[in-house]
Amino acid sequence: MSYESITLATIAEKTSISRPSIYHYYDKKESVFVDLIIQEYREWGEQMGPLLERRCSQEQF
């Protein structure tokens, strides 16, 4: 499915979240994607934090 064809209604349908719930929290699909990117970035930071605290070679990294 292309980004252009995705709507908040589509997101609600594919995630089994009610349409009113989606529309309560998000006014446009871009907001959903921004939240997903933020979540991924936080998880990445949690995973990378311990790796960056220890010294390792480039190959190990």
Side-chain angles (χ1 to χ4, degrees):
M1 180 173 256
S2 70
Y3 178 79
E4 291 80 20
S5 65
I6 295 173
T7 64
L8 285 177
T10 306
I11 294 169
E13 179 184 320
K14 297 290 183 182
T15 60
S16 300
I17 299 172
S18 71
R19 286 178 69 177
S21 291
I22 290 282
Y23 286 101
H24 176 76
Y25 291 102
Y26 298 103
D27 60 341
K28 53 189 174 182
K29 68 180 178 184
E30 290 81 5
S31 300
V32 175
F33 284 95
V34 167
D35 274 357
L36 289 171
I37 291 168
I38 290 170
Q39 179 179 336
E40 287 293 321
Y41 183 75
R42 284 184 182 143
E43 290 175 10
W44 176 78
E46 290 171 5
Q47 293 171 2
M48 292 300 293
L51 295 174
L52 297 174
E53 290 174 1
R54 67 175 200 229
R55 296 187 71 89
C56 61
S57 68
Q58 185 176 7
E59 291 81 22
Q60 290 171 323
F61 183 73

